[in-house]
Amino acid sequence: MKLEFLQRKFWAATRQDLNCFVIDNNGFILISKRSQEMGRFLGEVDGAAMTQLLSMGVFSQVTMYDYQAMCKPSSHHHSAAQPLVSPISAFLTATRWLLQELVLFLLEWSVWGSWYDRGAEAKSVFHHSHKHKKQDQLQPCDTEYPVFVYQPAIQEANGIIECGPCQKVFVVQQIPNSNLLLLVTDPTCDCSIFPPVLQEATEVKYNASVKCDRMRSQKLRRRPDSCHAFHPEENAQDCGGASDTSASPPLLLLPVCAWGLLPQLLR
């Protein structure tokens, strides 16, 4: 069943004066009245409803870790003073700067003749990449981010959200034989006083002892104890066949013909 067909049937069976969402078991919106909300996390669209669902136990928060993330390096200098450098490091920095300026000078004055236009383009690309190289330097890090999981023990819930001058009524119900939920809310009450519930990743800071303990606790990858290369319900004749593939002579001659005709076509 296509999502567009399901969406048409859904809106035909529901009232249009309510905010109706079909969300999955992780809180992501599958169907919404506004197409720009589809695919987004419910906490970003309606922070009040997601906050209430979390407090009622309909969703629970689980912390996940990414051990292959990339983060911006933190600055260790909290003052405006420049850090002290050794004379060798200063000499290498100056030499590198002089070489860069020399390359830019050669590109600017078109020492390479007819390559002037390409040199100017290379100059702009060099400046652009050199600038972004300084700004976008990342380093490996560990991050943590929240994930929200539906608790199937609560199949239906309803409540009222106090949003200052008004009250927002909502109803959530599990859709049978699926991992989807139907959420209906009142669109007349503005609950913008509730902040959005986000899934932003934050860098995990370790001290020296914790980092060493975590490195020692990493499990080494190993192969399974037994090999499962056969299944009784598998038909071996439907698999393989790559060894029967043979080279096609016309396809082998096609690059040679194209290489021979290319100079004539360029005349």
Side-chain angles (χ1 to χ4, degrees), residues 99-150:
L99 291 176
Q100 292 175 359
E101 292 298 321
L102 178 61
V103 172
L104 293 178
F105 175 80
L106 296 176
L107 292 174
E108 184 176 358
W109 290 97
S110 184
V111 176
W112 294 343
S114 62
W115 289 70
Y116 173 76
D117 294 335
R118 298 184 181 181
E121 181 180 358
K123 175 186 174 182
S124 62
V125 172
F126 179 83
H127 274 297
H128 184 75
S129 62
H130 184 67
K131 180 180 178 180
H132 283 270
K133 183 178 180 182
K134 292 183 177 180
Q135 295 180 352
D136 301 333
Q137 288 181 348
L138 301 177
Q139 64 181 9
C141 65
D142 294 349
T143 58
E144 62 179 11
Y145 56 94
V147 174
F148 302 91
V149 182
Y150 166 66

Side-chain angles (χ1 to χ4, degrees), residues 131-267:
K131 180 180 178 180
H132 283 270
K133 183 178 180 182
K134 292 183 177 180
Q135 295 180 352
D136 301 333
Q137 288 181 348
L138 301 177
Q139 64 181 9
C141 65
D142 294 349
T143 58
E144 62 179 11
Y145 56 94
V147 174
F148 302 91
V149 182
Y150 166 66
Q151 300 301 315
I154 304 178
Q155 299 184 359
E156 183 178 355
N158 59 80
I160 299 176
I161 306 174
E162 297 291 340
C163 300
C166 62
Q167 294 179 337
K168 184 173 184 176
V169 182
F170 73 94
V171 177
V172 61
Q173 185 175 14
Q174 182 186 19
I175 300 177
N177 302 322
S178 70
N179 67 329
L180 306 179
L181 298 171
L182 173 63
L183 174 64
V184 182
T185 63
D186 181 12
T188 59
C189 183
D190 183 16
C191 289
S192 57
I193 60 175
F194 284 84
V197 181
L198 304 177
Q199 292 184 304
E200 295 181 346
T202 57
E203 184 179 359
V204 180
K205 299 292 186 179
Y206 300 107
N207 55 39
S209 60
V210 175
K211 182 178 293 186
C212 293
D213 293 338
R214 194 182 68 83
M215 293 295 293
R216 286 194 293 265
S217 64
Q218 293 291 328
K219 296 183 180 180
L220 299 178
R221 294 184 178 182
R222 60 183 180 86
R223 299 183 61 179
D225 297 332
S226 60
C227 180
H228 303 276
F230 173 76
H231 193 275
E233 297 181 1
E234 178 183 3
N235 187 4
Q237 296 180 357
D238 296 337
C239 304
S243 60
D244 297 335
T245 305
S246 58
S248 176
L251 293 178
L252 293 176
L253 295 176
L254 183 61
V256 179
C257 297
W259 180 262
L261 293 176
L262 184 61
Q264 299 179 5
L265 297 175
L266 295 178
R267 293 179 181 176

Side-chain angles (χ1 to χ4, degrees), residues 6-135:
L6 179 61
Q7 187 177 10
R8 289 196 301 268
K9 291 295 183 180
F10 176 76
W11 290 121
T14 57
R15 296 175 57 186
Q16 298 299 314
D17 57 345
L18 296 174
N19 280 339
C20 299
F21 303 97
V22 174
I23 60 178
D24 64 2
N25 58 332
N26 293 118
F28 287 90
I29 301 174
L30 273 68
I31 298 178
S32 174
K33 183 184 301 185
R34 292 164 290 275
S35 59
Q36 65 272 16
E37 296 176 351
M38 298 172 60
R40 298 175 59 188
F41 180 60
L42 177 65
E44 301 177 6
V45 177
D46 194 338
M50 193 65 197
T51 301
Q52 190 69 15
L53 294 176
L54 285 170
S55 64
M56 297 174 62
V58 179
F59 282 88
S60 62
Q61 179 176 335
V62 180
T63 303
M64 301 293 291
Y65 295 90
D66 185 1
Y67 298 110
Q68 296 179 342
M70 300 295 291
C71 303
K72 293 183 179 180
S74 58
S75 177
H76 298 286
H77 305 286
H78 302 283
S79 64
Q82 293 290 336
L84 297 176
V85 295
S86 63
I88 298 178
S89 177
F91 174 77
L92 294 177
T93 302
T95 304
R96 184 167 57 250
W97 178 81
L98 288 175
L99 291 176
Q100 292 175 359
E101 292 298 321
L102 178 61
V103 172
L104 293 178
F105 175 80
L106 296 176
L107 292 174
E108 184 176 358
W109 290 97
S110 184
V111 176
W112 294 343
S114 62
W115 289 70
Y116 173 76
D117 294 335
R118 298 184 181 181
E121 181 180 358
K123 175 186 174 182
S124 62
V125 172
F126 179 83
H127 274 297
H128 184 75
S129 62
H130 184 67
K131 180 180 178 180
H132 283 270
K133 183 178 180 182
K134 292 183 177 180
Q135 295 180 352

